């Protein structure tokens, strides 16, 4: 099967719109020298039933409300997406979100982690399907793949609270629902590590209209069909989130070179800097100790600084869309 990229929008534009005001995200460390990323460096729990959190910033155009169900990501009849993003980065870690997905055909709820060089780890819920959730990942902006997503079953994700977890180490990524493992991705299974997400990430929570009339046909199909905004509001709720940065006590993370390899990431604190070889012993997570040896020869996980970024367009959803255009007999990935 041939693969083909249909890039609808510049990734750089997507990021700058998502996090306007945070200049580092305009910068791709694979081909530029970028400002360092502020580190979370610890574990936090945010209880959104208590209201807004200073750990997050709202995307341009996003106005949030908070209630007894926590953060309310409301798609109203104007179709405006709602997205919030953490101010700080984690360098490997575990993130758990108590979430109820939005209803509505074509409405996409999402919990995404993304780095400056466009590694990405996703959970996405289709409003027209109340029996499954999608998992996906990307490495270094490589969107040529057609078979990275999975669709584990979940019971009634729109009306029932479930806790969705991503546990991310240099050795593997696991996706779990209510502590039940539904997917494991090992470093070596992501193109020998080249497509394995491995650079410092922020967490984005959002709700957007994949089935909007002005979306690409393929996106609408992936989203489950056209959205009927006269049925709005469509609300995704996030009650709480726990974020554990497996790298502790760092103050910032920076890219030591342009490989995008986790081994090149420099952990800074106020007194010293060190690279991942040092931190591997402190970066405690399942399989992470074995990862130091099992993946230490992977510094050749090559990056493609030639990856594409094209044109412009709407770009207010947190993640990327990857789907198969069966009708064309090819795979396509879309930036929106
Ligand atoms: C939901 O997704 C699952 C898995 O892809 C599929 O089997 C099911 O038919 C879908 N349900 C609806 C209502 O589209
Ligand atoms: C992107 O990933 C695909 C497999 O998903 C791989 O065949 C291709 O070589 C990768 N491209 C780069 C530039 O690494
Ligand atoms: C988050 O909310 C869920 C759903 O109400 C609850 O089960 C869980 O205990 C909460 N977690 C934290 C850390 O407050
Ligand atoms: C900074 O890192 C050094 C080791 O490189 C460590 O000895 C020191 O305690 C760290 N400082 C803080 C504030 O964590
Ligand atoms: C991180 O900093 C805290 C507070 O200073 C300290 O108690 C803890 O031991 C440090 N942890 C590591 C791994 O350096
Ligand atoms: C690092 O230094 C800055 C500026 O001096 C200070 O605001 C911050 O609290 C320090 N952080 C740590 C972890 O020591
Ligand atoms: C990382 O640190 C180790 C041990 O101090 C050193 O051998 C290695 O050259 C360093 N790598 C980089 C990219 O700085
Ligand atoms: C590691 O795995 C064990 C058992 O599988 C689990 O109890 C523990 O919470 C995990 N630790 C982390 C940091 O995920
Ligand atoms: C840890 O690694 C072992 C073998 O390498 C694997 O069987 C296990 O499932 C892994 N655990 C997680 C949480 O990925
Ligand atoms: C990385 O290097 C090892 C040993 O040098 C080699 O076997 C492997 O094929 C390389 N992987 C990639 C993705 O280039
Ligand atoms: C760096 O890469 C990004 C994404 O591929 C691209 O949009 C940008 O133009 C590149 N910048 C430079 C200076 O090459």
């Amino acid at each position: 099967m041939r693969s083909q990229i249909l890039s609808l929008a510049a990734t750089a534009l997507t990021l700058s719109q998502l996090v306007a005001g945070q200049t580092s995200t305009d910068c791709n460390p694979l081909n530029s020298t970028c400002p360092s990323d502020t580190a979370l460096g610890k574990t936090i729990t945010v209880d959104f039933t208590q209201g807004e959190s200073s750990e997050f910033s709202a995307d341009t155009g996003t106005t949030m409300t908070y209630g007894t169900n926590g953060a309310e990501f409301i798609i109203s009849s104007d179709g405006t997406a709602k997205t919030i993003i953490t101010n700080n980065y984690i360098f490997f870690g575990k993130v758990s979100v108590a979430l109820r997905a939005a209803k509505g055909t074509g409405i996409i709820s999402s919990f995404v982690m993304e780095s400056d060089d466009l590694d990405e780890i996703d959970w996405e819920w289709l409003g027209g399907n109340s029996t499954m959730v999608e998992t996906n990942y990307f490495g270094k902006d490589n969107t040529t793949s057609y078979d990275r997503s999975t669709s584990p079953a979940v019971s009634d994700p729109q009306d029932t609270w479930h806790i969705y977890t991503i546990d991310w180490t240099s050795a593997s990524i696991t996706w779990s629902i209510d502590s039940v493992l539904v997917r494991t991705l090992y470093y070596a299974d992501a193109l020998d590590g080249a497509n394995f997400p491995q650079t410092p990430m922020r967490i984005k929570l959002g709700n957007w209209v994949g089935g909007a009339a002005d979306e690409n046909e393929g996106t609408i199909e992936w989203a489950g069909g056209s959205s009927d905004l006269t049925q709005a509001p469509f609300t995704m709720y996030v009650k709480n989130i726990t974020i554990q940065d497996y790298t502790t006590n760092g103050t910032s993370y920076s890219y030591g070179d342009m490989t995008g390899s986790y081994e090149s990431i420099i952990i800074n604190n106020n007194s010293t800097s060190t690279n991942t070889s040092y931190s591997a012993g402190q970066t405690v997570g399942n399989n992470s100790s074995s990862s130091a040896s099992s993946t230490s020869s992977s510094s050749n996980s090559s990056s493609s600084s030639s990856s594409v970024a094209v044109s412009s367009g709407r770009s207010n959803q947190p993640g990327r869309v990857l789907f198969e255009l069966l009708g064309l007999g090819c795979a396509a990935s879309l930036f929106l």
Side-chain angles (χ1 to χ4, degrees):
M1 183 182 286
R2 293 178 54 128
S3 62
Q4 177 179 325
I5 297 175
L6 304 177
S7 293
L8 295 187
T11 300
L13 179 61
T14 301
L15 286 168
S16 64
Q17 289 189 346
L18 282 168
V19 292
Q22 296 182 315
T23 53
S24 65
T25 53
D26 288 327
C27 190
N28 187 330
L30 300 192
N31 63 14
S32 309
T33 301
C34 302
S36 61
D37 298 329
T38 54
L40 181 63
K42 60 186 177 185
T43 300
I44 58 168
T45 293
V46 173
D47 178 358
F48 286 117
T49 66
Q50 301 301 304
E52 189 176 16
S53 165
S54 60
E55 296 288 341
F56 285 82
S57 294
D59 183 18
T60 308
T62 289
T63 307
M64 293 294 297
T65 55
Y66 298 84
T68 54
N69 286 325
E72 302 167 340
F73 299 76
I74 303 173
I75 301 286
S76 53
S77 55
D78 68 3
T80 303
K82 299 294 166 63
T83 305
I84 62 173
I85 182 167
T86 55
N87 298 319
N88 297 320
Y89 289 68
I90 62 173
F91 183 37
F92 302 116
K94 184 173 180 177
V95 182
S96 293
V97 173
L99 181 148
R100 275 176 42 196
K103 301 176 200 274
T105 300
I107 305 299
I108 309 298
S109 299
S110 64
F111 154 27
V112 167
M113 301 180 18
E114 192 170 70
S115 69
D116 293 349
D117 70 353
L118 302 174
D119 287 347
E120 184 175 313
I121 307 172
D122 300 347
W123 284 105
E124 289 176 302
W125 296 258
L126 277 53
N129 191 319
S130 61
T131 61
M132 66 94 158
V133 54
E134 282 199 11
T135 74
N136 210 345
Y137 73 94
F138 298 89
K140 301 181 188 68
D141 203 15
N142 183 335
T143 56
T144 60
S145 171
Y146 31 84
D147 201 20
R148 292 183 196 147
S149 69
T150 68
S151 303
V154 58
S155 129
D156 194 19
Q158 299 168 352
D159 289 316
T160 303
W161 293 107
H162 291 287
I163 296 175
Y164 301 89
T165 299
I166 293 170
D167 196 344
W168 173 49
T169 72
S170 57
S172 68
I173 298 166
T174 64
W175 287 256
S176 302
I177 303 172
D178 301 327
S179 301
V180 176
L181 182 69
V182 297
R183 182 181 193 183
T184 301
L185 173 73
Y186 293 106
Y187 180 92
D189 294 337
L191 197 65
D192 253 347
N195 279 348
F196 188 83
Q198 58 192 278
T199 47
M201 294 201 177
R202 284 180 298 181
I203 295 102
K204 300 178 187 177
L205 303 169
N207 190 13
W208 60 283
V209 185
D214 59 350
E215 287 289 0
N216 175 277
E217 186 186 337
T219 301
I220 296 172
E221 189 179 328
W222 168 80
S226 295
S227 300
D228 179 2
L229 292 175
T230 66
Q231 301 294 308
F234 304 113
T235 306
M236 170 182 115
Y237 298 99
V238 176
K239 194 173 243 183
N240 56 59
I241 181 170
T242 298
I243 306 172
Q244 178 178 9
D245 189 344
Y246 283 160
T247 303
T248 48
N249 290 350
T251 50
S252 67
Y253 305 124
S254 49
Y255 288 66
D257 60 30
M258 294 178 180
T259 61
S261 161
Y262 72 89
E263 293 171 300
S264 74
I265 300 301
I266 297 166
I267 300 159
N268 309 293
N269 70 20
N270 281 353
S271 52
T272 187
S273 295
T274 188
N275 66 23
T276 314
S277 305
Y278 168 82
S279 75
Q282 294 198 332
T283 305
V284 182
N286 277 335
N287 290 336
S288 64
S289 53
S290 63
S291 75
S293 51
S294 66
T295 60
S296 61
S297 63
S298 62
S299 54
N300 58 351
S301 61
S302 63
S303 64
S304 166
S305 52
S306 61
S307 58
V308 288
V310 208
S311 74
S312 63
R314 302 174 65 232
S315 57
N316 46 12
Q317 84 276 33
R320 279 173 275 187
V321 178
L322 186 78
F323 62 90
E324 242 175 80
L325 285 177
L326 296 169
L328 297 182
C330 69
S333 63
L334 302 181
F335 295 91
L336 302 166

